[in-house]
Amino acid sequence: MARAQGARAQMALAYETVYGTPPVGGFTKMPFASTSLGSEQPLLNSELLGYGRDPLAPIKDAVTADGDVMVPIDAEAFGFWLKAAFGDPITSGVGPYTHEFRSGSWTLPSMSIETGMPEVPRYAMYSGCVLDTLSWQMQRSGILTATASLVAQGEAIANTSASGTLADLDLKRFGHFNGAITRNGQSLGNIISAEITYANNLDRVETIRSDGRIDGADPSIAALTGKIEVRFADQVLVDQAIAGDPCALQFTYTLPSGESFAFTAHAVYLPRPRIEMSGPQGVQASFDWQAARDTTLGRMCTATLINTIGEY
């Protein structure tokens, strides 16, 4: 008997025309490192008395379908997750193409995502997937990945794939050594690490249905937060925190072949940090920053991806 192995797992993604209805085609094979995407339906204990000490049979509760997908930050496939987070991009150029994803859209696309274990076989189609949060870390070394947290409507299991046989994308991964951080257009030095989290703060539409599923996932007020860990060398960031003024932080990755990804938070506010000297090593400071809507641009952030894909 064949047993499931993660090494043979696969994932395919397609955008939906109707929420919760998987399309008949248009799937793209997606690279991923791990996923916890799944559906569960808990049992509720019986509260009834009068039948002795042994409980009566439990009843089923509502269905919950959600989970995380860990994906590489690369020049092509990452654009699908950016579209899920921000909506349709503004695309320009004739190859290479520049895809500009802007925050603030009230309309987010829903996706159907199929995960497969061919050796069992088991193929799970998760329909009505909407992206809740997208987060990643910048550091000096290691593997660069992002985590996409999803809210789905439901799960359908089959023993054959509904997405078909798909070709691999041309995977061009960014690495931590390709990264840089700027503040108001100037290189920001002495950064040990950085964290970025964009959240759509989805509101599940939990209407009464016979199948126990949600009716949708609507975006509410978005949030862009993060943390930068710096080796304390000057007063620039502390002075900004004390003054309460915003700055623009840009997190970029660039490949020698020309592909790039830039994420810009246009109005970042810093809290006043505690500066501690805990030993003979260098002094570090942490800033748990928050971004807000820039009054000039009219949005909070912009993600720009330059690659050879003409359309997402």
Side-chain angles (χ1 to χ4, degrees):
M1 180 196 301
R3 293 176 174 85
Q5 293 184 334
R8 294 192 62 188
Q10 58 192 42
M11 176 179 290
L13 178 153
Y15 298 112
E16 298 174 345
T17 302
V18 179
Y19 173 79
T21 302
V24 295
F27 282 86
T28 302
K29 187 176 181 180
M30 301 298 295
F32 72 106
S34 64
T35 178
S36 64
L37 187 61
S39 178
E40 60 183 358
Q41 187 174 24
L43 298 175
L44 300 176
N45 294 331
S46 174
E47 83 289 13
L48 299 179
L49 305 176
Y51 292 87
R53 290 187 59 235
D54 295 335
L56 297 178
I59 61 174
K60 294 181 178 181
D61 201 3
V63 176
T64 300
D66 55 22
D68 299 337
V69 182
M70 184 178 292
V71 299
I73 298 182
D74 72 307
E76 294 189 357
F78 196 56
F80 290 91
W81 301 108
L82 292 174
K83 178 176 177 177
F86 300 103
D88 291 325
I90 299 173
T91 300
S92 59
V94 292
Y97 300 92
T98 299
H99 309 279
E100 187 176 278
F101 302 85
R102 298 179 176 183
S103 64
S105 174
W106 285 103
T107 303
L108 299 179
S110 64
M111 304 169 288
S112 288
I113 297 176
E114 184 186 68
T115 59
M117 292 178 282
E119 67 278 10
V120 174
R122 182 185 190 271
Y123 294 89
M125 180 69 74
Y126 300 96
S127 56
C129 294
V130 183
L131 191 141
D132 191 17
T133 65
L134 185 65
S135 61
W136 70 95
Q137 292 184 337
M138 296 185 74
Q139 54 195 30
R140 183 176 180 272
S141 62
I143 295 177
L144 177 61
T145 58
T147 299
S149 297
L150 304 167
V151 172
Q153 185 187 48
E155 174 190 64
I157 306 298
N159 55 15
T160 58
S161 174
S163 61
T165 302
L166 304 173
D168 295 332
L169 286 173
D170 187 10
L171 188 62
K172 297 181 179 180
R173 296 188 69 172
F174 298 109
H176 285 295
F177 64 93
N178 302 123
I181 303 175
T182 60
R183 175 184 177 273
N184 292 334
Q186 302 297 318
S187 178
L188 186 60
N190 298 301
I191 302 296
I192 305 298
S193 63
E195 300 175 8
I196 303 99
T197 299
Y198 178 81
N200 281 312
N201 290 319
L202 297 179
D203 179 25
R204 299 177 191 239
V205 184
E206 297 180 328
T207 57
I208 299 174
R209 294 170 51 125
S210 60
D211 57 9
R213 298 182 175 186
I214 62 174
D215 238 3
D218 298 336
S220 59
I221 299 298
L224 176 57
T225 59
K227 180 178 181 180
I228 52 175
E229 190 84 19
V230 302
R231 182 61 65 93
F232 194 66
D234 56 50
Q235 285 281 119
V236 173
L237 296 179
V238 175
D239 289 344
Q240 177 189 330
I242 294 173
D245 297 326
C247 71
L249 290 182
Q250 186 176 70
F251 309 90
T252 61
Y253 302 93
T254 304
L255 293 177
S257 54
E259 294 85 357
S260 66
F261 169 56
F263 186 84
T264 306
H266 298 292
V268 172
Y269 294 84
L270 303 175
R272 182 169 179 169
R274 182 191 300 269
I275 308 298
E276 297 182 357
M277 292 176 285
S278 56
Q281 284 113 352
V283 177
Q284 294 183 188
S286 296
F287 294 86
D288 293 310
W289 55 268
Q290 299 180 26
R293 179 180 181 272
D294 182 82
T295 55
T296 301
L297 294 175
R299 61 183 182 274
M300 181 167 59
C301 61
T302 304
T304 304
L305 187 63
I306 299 177
N307 57 26
T308 56
I309 290 185
E311 183 181 2
Y312 282 101

